[in-house]
Amino acid sequence: MPIRTLNGAVALVKETAENTYTPTAAANVIYASDVSYEILEGSATPRTELRGNFQKLDPVPGIAGGSIKFKIPLRGSGTPGVPPAFGAALLACGFNQTIVSGVSVTYAAISSPFDGSTGAGLVNPGPSYSVDFYEDGTIYSVAGAWGTVEFDLA
């Protein structure tokens, strides 16, 4: 069951190696609202080795996961050519960022495979991100994250 909080600090940083946690810094923090996080059950791999008795071997724990959902306001940085605070969140959701120094920052959804290949219908979603959610002195972290985005422009 997801745990919800009204306000929180979420930090995103591009990972140096895929699925390897990269520590975030204060410069990567986005102040978010309606934050929810959920720790998902990990998978277990059964073991089928034979033993000298009828006792079953315990399964080997696999990869565990989680999700962090949040809302952020769409507002610029206040300086032309400087990405907004939520820029890393859009990059993690498969957007391309174009910066024109001193003029503008634009984002466009990427609809083609990131690495140019299409093998077996699977697409490389691009670089993965480490996401931290800070709540009351506790840090909840997800490594190897990719995101999805919804815009409410009402």
Side-chain angles (χ1 to χ4, degrees):
M1 178 172 175
I3 298 171
R4 299 182 78 84
T5 185
L6 292 177
N7 296 308
V10 177
L12 294 100
V13 65
K14 184 177 172 182
E15 294 175 338
T16 53
E18 191 172 310
N19 288 330
T20 304
Y21 177 75
T22 303
T24 59
N28 306 110
V29 171
I30 303 169
Y31 294 101
S33 63
D34 200 17
V35 182
S36 68
Y37 58 93
E38 183 174 10
I39 299 171
L40 304 174
E41 292 293 324
S43 60
T45 304
R47 298 192 295 175
T48 58
E49 295 88 10
L50 297 175
R51 296 181 71 174
N53 57 30
F54 293 110
Q55 182 179 1
K56 288 180 108 178
L57 293 170
D58 290 333
V60 177
I63 297 173
S67 68
I68 298 175
K69 298 177 183 181
F70 52 91
K71 293 180 180 179
I72 51 176
L74 292 177
R75 62 174 166 235
S77 66
T79 306
V82 175
F86 63 85
L90 289 178
L91 294 174
C93 292
F95 277 69
N96 186 19
Q97 176 179 266
T98 303
I99 299 174
V100 179
S101 183
V103 177
S104 66
V105 178
T106 57
Y107 295 91
I110 299 173
S111 58
S112 62
F114 283 49
D115 61 359
S117 67
T118 58
L122 299 176
V123 176
N124 176 8
S128 58
Y129 281 72
S130 292
V131 182
D132 289 341
F133 167 54
Y134 301 88
E135 180 189 39
D136 294 332
T138 303
I139 301 174
Y140 300 92
S141 299
V142 176
W146 292 283
T148 57
V149 64
E150 292 180 27
F151 294 101
D152 181 4
L153 303 175

